[in-house]
Short mmCIF file of all heavy atoms in Angstrom, two decimals:
data_model
loop_
_atom_site.label_atom_id
_atom_site.label_comp_id
_atom_site.label_asym_id
_atom_site.label_seq_id
_atom_site.Cartn_x
_atom_site.Cartn_y
_atom_site.Cartn_z
N LEU B 1 0.81 -1.22 0.00
CA LEU B 1 0.00 0.00 0.00
C LEU B 1 0.84 1.27 0.00
O LEU B 1 0.49 2.25 -0.62
CB LEU B 1 -0.94 0.02 1.20
CG LEU B 1 -2.02 -1.06 1.23
CD1 LEU B 1 -2.81 -0.96 2.52
CD2 LEU B 1 -2.94 -0.95 0.03
N ILE B 2 1.94 1.24 0.73
CA ILE B 2 2.84 2.40 0.81
C ILE B 2 4.15 2.02 0.16
O ILE B 2 4.76 1.01 0.53
CB ILE B 2 3.09 2.82 2.27
CG1 ILE B 2 1.77 3.17 2.95
CG2 ILE B 2 4.06 3.98 2.33
CD1 ILE B 2 1.89 3.40 4.43
N GLY B 3 4.59 2.79 -0.83
CA GLY B 3 5.84 2.46 -1.49
C GLY B 3 6.37 3.64 -2.30
O GLY B 3 5.65 4.57 -2.59
N TRP B 4 7.65 3.58 -2.61
CA TRP B 4 8.31 4.60 -3.39
C TRP B 4 9.13 3.95 -4.48
O TRP B 4 9.75 2.91 -4.26
CB TRP B 4 9.24 5.43 -2.51
CG TRP B 4 8.56 6.32 -1.55
CD1 TRP B 4 8.27 7.63 -1.72
CD2 TRP B 4 8.06 5.97 -0.25
NE1 TRP B 4 7.64 8.12 -0.62
CE2 TRP B 4 7.49 7.12 0.31
CE3 TRP B 4 8.03 4.81 0.49
CZ2 TRP B 4 6.91 7.14 1.56
CZ3 TRP B 4 7.44 4.82 1.73
CH2 TRP B 4 6.90 5.98 2.25
N LYS B 5 9.16 4.58 -5.63
CA LYS B 5 10.00 4.13 -6.74
C LYS B 5 10.87 5.31 -7.18
O LYS B 5 10.39 6.43 -7.27
CB LYS B 5 9.16 3.68 -7.93
CG LYS B 5 8.37 2.43 -7.69
CD LYS B 5 7.59 2.06 -8.94
CE LYS B 5 6.74 0.85 -8.71
NZ LYS B 5 6.02 0.43 -9.92
N TYR B 6 12.13 5.03 -7.45
CA TYR B 6 13.04 6.04 -7.95
C TYR B 6 13.77 5.49 -9.16
O TYR B 6 14.37 4.42 -9.10
CB TYR B 6 14.06 6.45 -6.88
CG TYR B 6 13.42 7.00 -5.64
CD1 TYR B 6 13.35 6.25 -4.48
CD2 TYR B 6 12.86 8.27 -5.65
CE1 TYR B 6 12.75 6.76 -3.34
CE2 TYR B 6 12.26 8.78 -4.51
CZ TYR B 6 12.21 8.02 -3.36
OH TYR B 6 11.61 8.52 -2.24
N LYS B 7 13.73 6.22 -10.26
CA LYS B 7 14.48 5.83 -11.44
C LYS B 7 15.95 6.16 -11.22
O LYS B 7 16.28 7.17 -10.61
CB LYS B 7 13.98 6.56 -12.68
CG LYS B 7 12.61 6.16 -13.12
CD LYS B 7 12.22 6.88 -14.38
CE LYS B 7 10.86 6.43 -14.86
NZ LYS B 7 10.50 7.08 -16.12
N LEU B 8 16.81 5.31 -11.73
CA LEU B 8 18.24 5.53 -11.60
C LEU B 8 18.64 6.87 -12.21
O LEU B 8 19.50 7.57 -11.69
CB LEU B 8 19.01 4.39 -12.26
CG LEU B 8 20.49 4.32 -12.02
CD1 LEU B 8 20.81 4.22 -10.54
CD2 LEU B 8 21.11 3.16 -12.77
N SER B 9 17.98 7.26 -13.29
CA SER B 9 18.30 8.53 -13.94
C SER B 9 17.93 9.75 -13.09
O SER B 9 18.40 10.85 -13.36
CB SER B 9 17.59 8.61 -15.30
OG SER B 9 16.18 8.55 -15.13
N ASN B 10 17.10 9.56 -12.06
CA ASN B 10 16.71 10.67 -11.18
C ASN B 10 17.59 10.79 -9.94
O ASN B 10 17.42 11.71 -9.16
CB ASN B 10 15.25 10.53 -10.76
CG ASN B 10 14.30 10.82 -11.89
OD1 ASN B 10 14.65 11.47 -12.87
ND2 ASN B 10 13.09 10.33 -11.78
N ILE B 11 18.51 9.87 -9.74
CA ILE B 11 19.40 9.92 -8.58
C ILE B 11 20.59 10.81 -8.91
O ILE B 11 21.28 10.59 -9.90
CB ILE B 11 19.85 8.51 -8.17
CG1 ILE B 11 18.64 7.69 -7.73
CG2 ILE B 11 20.89 8.58 -7.06
CD1 ILE B 11 18.95 6.25 -7.42
N GLU B 12 20.80 11.84 -8.08
CA GLU B 12 21.92 12.76 -8.29
C GLU B 12 23.22 12.21 -7.72
O GLU B 12 24.27 12.34 -8.32
CB GLU B 12 21.60 14.11 -7.66
CG GLU B 12 20.44 14.82 -8.34
CD GLU B 12 20.07 16.11 -7.67
OE1 GLU B 12 20.30 16.27 -6.44
OE2 GLU B 12 19.54 16.99 -8.37
N TYR B 13 23.16 11.65 -6.51
CA TYR B 13 24.34 11.05 -5.91
C TYR B 13 23.93 10.03 -4.85
O TYR B 13 22.79 10.00 -4.41
CB TYR B 13 25.28 12.09 -5.30
CG TYR B 13 24.76 12.76 -4.05
CD1 TYR B 13 24.86 12.14 -2.81
CD2 TYR B 13 24.18 14.02 -4.10
CE1 TYR B 13 24.38 12.76 -1.66
CE2 TYR B 13 23.71 14.64 -2.97
CZ TYR B 13 23.81 14.00 -1.75
OH TYR B 13 23.33 14.60 -0.62
N CYS B 14 24.89 9.21 -4.46
CA CYS B 14 24.71 8.21 -3.42
C CYS B 14 25.97 8.22 -2.57
O CYS B 14 27.08 8.25 -3.11
CB CYS B 14 24.50 6.84 -4.06
SG CYS B 14 24.42 5.49 -2.87
N LYS B 15 25.81 8.20 -1.24
CA LYS B 15 26.98 8.14 -0.37
C LYS B 15 26.65 7.36 0.90
O LYS B 15 25.49 7.34 1.34
CB LYS B 15 27.49 9.54 -0.02
CG LYS B 15 26.55 10.34 0.87
CD LYS B 15 27.15 11.69 1.20
CE LYS B 15 26.23 12.46 2.15
NZ LYS B 15 26.79 13.75 2.51
N PRO B 16 27.65 6.70 1.50
CA PRO B 16 27.42 5.97 2.74
C PRO B 16 27.34 6.94 3.92
O PRO B 16 28.02 7.97 3.94
CB PRO B 16 28.64 5.06 2.86
CG PRO B 16 29.68 5.70 2.02
CD PRO B 16 28.98 6.50 0.96
N ILE B 17 26.48 6.62 4.90
CA ILE B 17 26.35 7.45 6.09
C ILE B 17 26.16 6.56 7.32
O ILE B 17 25.87 5.38 7.20
CB ILE B 17 25.15 8.43 6.00
CG1 ILE B 17 23.84 7.66 5.82
CG2 ILE B 17 25.34 9.43 4.87
CD1 ILE B 17 22.60 8.52 6.02
N SER B 18 26.31 7.15 8.50
CA SER B 18 25.97 6.52 9.77
C SER B 18 24.99 7.44 10.48
O SER B 18 25.01 8.65 10.29
CB SER B 18 27.21 6.34 10.64
OG SER B 18 28.11 5.44 10.03
N TYR B 19 24.13 6.86 11.32
CA TYR B 19 23.11 7.66 12.02
C TYR B 19 22.82 7.03 13.38
O TYR B 19 23.19 5.87 13.64
CB TYR B 19 21.83 7.74 11.18
CG TYR B 19 21.22 6.40 10.89
CD1 TYR B 19 20.28 5.84 11.74
CD2 TYR B 19 21.61 5.67 9.77
CE1 TYR B 19 19.74 4.59 11.49
CE2 TYR B 19 21.07 4.43 9.51
CZ TYR B 19 20.13 3.90 10.37
OH TYR B 19 19.61 2.66 10.12
N LEU B 20 22.15 7.77 14.24
CA LEU B 20 21.72 7.24 15.52
C LEU B 20 20.42 6.46 15.31
O LEU B 20 19.48 6.98 14.70
CB LEU B 20 21.48 8.37 16.52
CG LEU B 20 22.73 9.16 16.91
CD1 LEU B 20 22.34 10.35 17.78
CD2 LEU B 20 23.71 8.28 17.64
N PRO B 21 20.35 5.23 15.81
CA PRO B 21 19.15 4.41 15.57
C PRO B 21 17.94 4.92 16.34
O PRO B 21 18.06 5.38 17.46
CB PRO B 21 19.57 3.03 16.07
CG PRO B 21 20.65 3.28 17.06
CD PRO B 21 21.36 4.52 16.60
N LEU B 22 16.79 4.85 15.69
CA LEU B 22 15.52 5.23 16.33
C LEU B 22 14.46 4.15 16.14
O LEU B 22 13.28 4.43 16.11
CB LEU B 22 15.01 6.55 15.72
CG LEU B 22 15.80 7.79 16.04
CD1 LEU B 22 15.26 8.98 15.27
CD2 LEU B 22 15.77 8.10 17.53
N GLY B 23 14.88 2.92 15.98
CA GLY B 23 13.93 1.83 15.78
C GLY B 23 13.90 1.40 14.33
O GLY B 23 14.64 1.88 13.49
N TRP B 24 13.02 0.45 14.03
CA TRP B 24 12.91 -0.11 12.70
C TRP B 24 11.74 0.49 11.95
O TRP B 24 10.80 0.99 12.54
CB TRP B 24 12.71 -1.61 12.78
CG TRP B 24 13.85 -2.34 13.40
CD1 TRP B 24 15.09 -1.84 13.73
CD2 TRP B 24 13.87 -3.70 13.78
NE1 TRP B 24 15.86 -2.82 14.28
CE2 TRP B 24 15.13 -3.98 14.32
CE3 TRP B 24 12.95 -4.73 13.71
CZ2 TRP B 24 15.49 -5.23 14.80
CZ3 TRP B 24 13.31 -5.98 14.19
CH2 TRP B 24 14.56 -6.22 14.71
N GLY B 25 11.79 0.41 10.63
CA GLY B 25 10.68 0.87 9.80
C GLY B 25 11.01 2.13 9.05
O GLY B 25 12.16 2.48 8.85
N ILE B 26 9.98 2.84 8.66
CA ILE B 26 10.12 4.10 7.94
C ILE B 26 10.13 5.22 8.96
O ILE B 26 9.20 5.35 9.76
CB ILE B 26 8.98 4.28 6.92
CG1 ILE B 26 8.98 3.13 5.92
CG2 ILE B 26 9.10 5.63 6.21
CD1 ILE B 26 7.76 3.10 5.03
N ARG B 27 11.16 6.02 8.95
CA ARG B 27 11.33 7.10 9.93
C ARG B 27 11.59 8.42 9.22
O ARG B 27 12.34 8.46 8.24
CB ARG B 27 12.52 6.81 10.85
CG ARG B 27 12.43 5.53 11.60
CD ARG B 27 11.55 5.73 12.82
NE ARG B 27 11.57 4.52 13.63
CZ ARG B 27 10.49 3.88 13.99
NH1 ARG B 27 9.31 4.31 13.61
NH2 ARG B 27 10.56 2.81 14.74
N LEU B 28 11.02 9.47 9.73
CA LEU B 28 11.32 10.82 9.23
C LEU B 28 12.44 11.40 10.07
O LEU B 28 12.38 11.36 11.30
CB LEU B 28 10.09 11.72 9.29
CG LEU B 28 8.97 11.34 8.34
CD1 LEU B 28 7.76 12.25 8.57
CD2 LEU B 28 9.42 11.42 6.90
N ARG B 29 13.45 11.89 9.42
CA ARG B 29 14.58 12.54 10.06
C ARG B 29 14.63 13.97 9.54
O ARG B 29 14.05 14.27 8.49
CB ARG B 29 15.88 11.82 9.69
CG ARG B 29 15.92 10.32 9.99
CD ARG B 29 15.96 10.05 11.46
NE ARG B 29 17.21 10.53 11.99
CZ ARG B 29 18.01 9.82 12.76
NH1 ARG B 29 17.69 8.62 13.10
NH2 ARG B 29 19.13 10.34 13.22
N PRO B 30 15.34 14.88 10.20
CA PRO B 30 15.45 16.23 9.67
C PRO B 30 16.08 16.21 8.27
O PRO B 30 17.22 15.80 8.10
CB PRO B 30 16.36 16.94 10.67
CG PRO B 30 16.21 16.17 11.93
CD PRO B 30 15.97 14.74 11.51
N GLY B 31 15.31 16.56 7.27
CA GLY B 31 15.80 16.63 5.90
C GLY B 31 15.90 15.30 5.18
O GLY B 31 16.43 15.23 4.08
N ALA B 32 15.39 14.21 5.80
CA ALA B 32 15.52 12.89 5.17
C ALA B 32 14.40 11.95 5.61
O ALA B 32 13.78 12.16 6.65
CB ALA B 32 16.87 12.27 5.53
N ILE B 33 14.16 10.94 4.80
CA ILE B 33 13.28 9.83 5.16
C ILE B 33 14.14 8.58 5.20
O ILE B 33 14.94 8.34 4.29
CB ILE B 33 12.09 9.70 4.20
CG1 ILE B 33 11.14 8.61 4.69
CG2 ILE B 33 12.53 9.45 2.79
CD1 ILE B 33 9.79 8.60 3.99
N LEU B 34 14.03 7.80 6.28
CA LEU B 34 14.88 6.64 6.50
C LEU B 34 14.06 5.36 6.39
O LEU B 34 13.01 5.23 7.02
CB LEU B 34 15.50 6.72 7.90
CG LEU B 34 16.20 5.48 8.45
CD1 LEU B 34 17.42 5.13 7.62
CD2 LEU B 34 16.59 5.70 9.91
N PHE B 35 14.55 4.43 5.57
CA PHE B 35 13.99 3.08 5.48
C PHE B 35 14.99 2.18 6.21
O PHE B 35 16.09 1.95 5.71
CB PHE B 35 13.85 2.64 4.03
CG PHE B 35 12.89 3.48 3.25
CD1 PHE B 35 13.34 4.59 2.57
CD2 PHE B 35 11.55 3.17 3.21
CE1 PHE B 35 12.46 5.38 1.84
CE2 PHE B 35 10.66 3.95 2.48
CZ PHE B 35 11.12 5.05 1.80
N ASN B 36 14.62 1.68 7.40
CA ASN B 36 15.58 0.99 8.25
C ASN B 36 15.02 -0.33 8.75
O ASN B 36 13.85 -0.41 9.11
CB ASN B 36 15.92 1.88 9.44
CG ASN B 36 16.94 1.26 10.34
OD1 ASN B 36 17.82 0.56 9.89
ND2 ASN B 36 16.81 1.52 11.63
N VAL B 37 15.87 -1.37 8.78
CA VAL B 37 15.48 -2.63 9.39
C VAL B 37 16.38 -2.98 10.57
O VAL B 37 15.94 -3.65 11.49
CB VAL B 37 15.48 -3.79 8.36
CG1 VAL B 37 14.34 -3.63 7.40
CG2 VAL B 37 16.79 -3.89 7.64
N SER B 38 17.62 -2.55 10.57
CA SER B 38 18.50 -2.76 11.71
C SER B 38 19.79 -1.97 11.51
O SER B 38 20.08 -1.53 10.41
CB SER B 38 18.83 -4.24 11.89
OG SER B 38 19.63 -4.68 10.82
N GLY B 39 20.54 -1.81 12.57
CA GLY B 39 21.86 -1.19 12.47
C GLY B 39 21.84 0.32 12.47
O GLY B 39 20.82 0.96 12.70
N THR B 40 23.02 0.87 12.19
CA THR B 40 23.21 2.33 12.21
C THR B 40 23.88 2.83 10.94
O THR B 40 24.42 3.93 10.92
CB THR B 40 24.06 2.74 13.41
OG1 THR B 40 25.35 2.12 13.29
CG2 THR B 40 23.42 2.35 14.72
N LYS B 41 23.87 2.02 9.89
CA LYS B 41 24.51 2.40 8.64
C LYS B 41 23.48 2.45 7.53
O LYS B 41 22.51 1.71 7.54
CB LYS B 41 25.61 1.41 8.27
CG LYS B 41 26.74 1.36 9.26
CD LYS B 41 27.76 0.34 8.84
CE LYS B 41 28.87 0.23 9.86
NZ LYS B 41 29.83 -0.81 9.47
N ALA B 42 23.73 3.33 6.56
CA ALA B 42 22.79 3.49 5.45
C ALA B 42 23.50 4.13 4.27
O ALA B 42 24.65 4.54 4.37
CB ALA B 42 21.61 4.36 5.87
N ILE B 43 22.78 4.21 3.15
CA ILE B 43 23.23 5.04 2.04
C ILE B 43 22.27 6.22 1.96
O ILE B 43 21.11 6.11 2.33
CB ILE B 43 23.26 4.27 0.70
CG1 ILE B 43 21.89 3.70 0.34
CG2 ILE B 43 24.34 3.23 0.70
CD1 ILE B 43 21.78 3.20 -1.08
#
């Protein structure tokens, strides 16, 4: 029911990041939306 699609041609850049964990699932962060299942690392 809830989903997002992004075309590769619409991606400007990709970089690795680390963040403070706030649980699992879809989370809103300042200036970002996080899709998280575990850990503290993301792109």
Side-chain angles (χ1 to χ4, degrees):
L1 295 177
I2 301 172
W4 290 264
K5 292 181 182 182
Y6 300 105
K7 291 183 178 183
L8 190 58
S9 61
N10 288 339
I11 297 175
E12 294 177 333
Y13 70 81
C14 175
K15 68 178 183 178
I17 60 167
S18 295
Y19 60 90
L20 295 174
L22 291 174
W24 297 351
I26 301 171
R27 302 278 186 235
L28 292 176
R29 305 290 293 230
I33 185 167
L34 168 64
F35 297 90
N36 182 33
V37 290
S38 68
T40 61
K41 297 178 182 178
I43 58 168

